[in-house]
Amino acid sequence: MCRHLAYLGPEEPLGRLLVEPPHSLYRQSWAPERQRYGTVNADGFGVGWYAQDDPVPARYRRAGPIWGDLSFADLARVVRSGAVLAAVRDATLPGADGEAAAAPFAAGRWLFSHNGAIAGWPDAAAPLVPSLPPVDLLSLQARTDSAFVWALVQHRLRCGDEPADALGETVRRLAEAAPASRLNLLLTDGTTITATTWGDSLWYRTEPDSGTVVASEPYDDDPLWQEIPDRTVLTASRTGVLLAPLEDPASSPTLDSARAGTSPSPKEPCT
């Protein structure tokens, strides 16, 4: 279900990151090698990038397959950036909302992508609806599970969570509501990359002089690629990567307290 990639480093043409490598994201749209669910990512694509001295990213998204868009080939040849997030889409529900459903989603300085699916969508996600302000639900960019996940992440960011905490808490709550979900999330503000692995593959490669790439699968045979363990949260910069385990919701204090018939200490409401 989708392939995505984020890059931080020296300015590069988009094509050098997304099209030219032997197993590029472009090629992964029809021939992914490590995709566990689905076979073709032809239900849309998108790329977001940051221009120098501008914190708000630009985006180019389309509802069709990346290989069918001749304009993208021209754009990728000339546009350069040192911070990029791109994705090719295999829709959970084919045809849903077209271009608006294609990652990356954006708000302010943030770009976001979800590789996976909420199991039992939309019924399984219903218990999480009250945690969002009504205006967030009325402002969803698409009627898809990924757009809903993005709304949950945005809400936590607005509440002051650090990116790793915002992604981690969102994954844990969704995994509790819909345990069979696949929740590989990817977030950047142009200076850091934050990602989760929960049910699908994710790799990274980092070098001090060449920057950092985080991707669903390696785009070449460079031995520097490292696979990220499942149920991990990653925080990356242009010079390095930190990994930390994501706690399984089945072992969280909140659930243990509930089973014991006690209540955890109340937290400050997030509004």
Side-chain angles (χ1 to χ4, degrees):
M1 303 297 290
C2 310
R3 303 278 83 182
H4 56 201
L5 173 152
Y7 165 79
L8 295 174
E11 281 198 352
E12 296 277 7
L14 297 182
R16 192 168 298 167
L17 297 167
L18 306 178
V19 180
E20 294 177 13
H23 190 59
S24 65
L25 191 71
Y26 185 89
R27 182 174 179 81
Q28 290 170 34
S29 64
W30 74 83
E33 293 182 347
R34 301 176 186 271
Q35 189 163 325
R36 300 170 187 170
Y37 304 91
T39 56
V40 177
N41 300 292
D43 296 314
F45 74 94
V47 56
W49 67 93
Y50 296 79
Q52 191 171 4
D53 301 323
D54 188 342
V56 179
R59 284 187 300 167
Y60 184 88
R61 299 187 296 166
R62 290 293 182 267
I66 192 171
W67 67 78
D69 190 318
L70 299 181
S71 295
F72 176 73
D74 245 7
L75 180 147
R77 180 176 56 84
V78 299
V79 172
R80 303 174 64 91
S81 179
V84 178
L85 194 156
V88 290
R89 181 176 183 239
D90 180 11
T92 304
L93 299 174
D97 292 318
E99 183 178 310
F105 297 97
R109 70 183 193 275
W110 299 105
L111 291 171
F112 172 83
S113 177
H114 167 216
N115 169 28
I118 297 177
W121 171 263
D123 302 63
L128 299 184
V129 168
S131 68
L132 287 174
V135 69
D136 288 6
L137 293 168
L138 295 172
S139 304
L140 286 178
Q141 298 176 27
R143 296 164 296 170
T144 63
D145 53 354
S146 295
F148 182 72
V149 175
W150 175 221
L152 294 171
V153 170
Q154 279 189 86
H155 183 52
R156 299 230 58 89
L157 291 170
R158 288 198 304 267
C159 288
D161 281 9
E162 293 296 320
D165 295 330
L167 294 192
E169 180 66 13
T170 298
V171 166
R172 285 188 288 266
R173 296 185 68 195
L174 286 166
E176 183 177 18
S181 297
R182 302 186 302 278
L183 302 163
N184 280 29
L185 311 184
L186 189 55
L187 177 74
T188 186
D189 62 355
T191 59
T192 62
I193 298 168
T194 310
T196 60
T197 56
W198 194 283
D200 214 325
S201 65
L202 195 68
W203 296 68
Y204 76 89
R205 191 191 75 179
T206 186
E207 288 185 275
D209 297 329
S210 301
T212 299
V213 183
V214 180
S216 296
E217 50 191 87
Y219 56 52
D220 59 22
D221 295 327
D222 192 319
L224 289 175
W225 286 103
Q226 300 289 321
E227 187 168 15
I228 303 167
D230 195 33
R231 303 195 175 189
T232 295
V233 60
L234 168 149
T235 303
S237 68
R238 286 174 166 80
T239 57
V241 170
L242 294 174
L243 303 178
L246 270 173
E247 182 183 78
D248 190 320
S251 63
S252 70
T254 300
L255 287 182
D256 289 344
S257 298
R259 292 190 186 101
T262 59
S263 299
S265 300
K267 293 179 69 175
E268 192 69 19
C270 179
T271 57

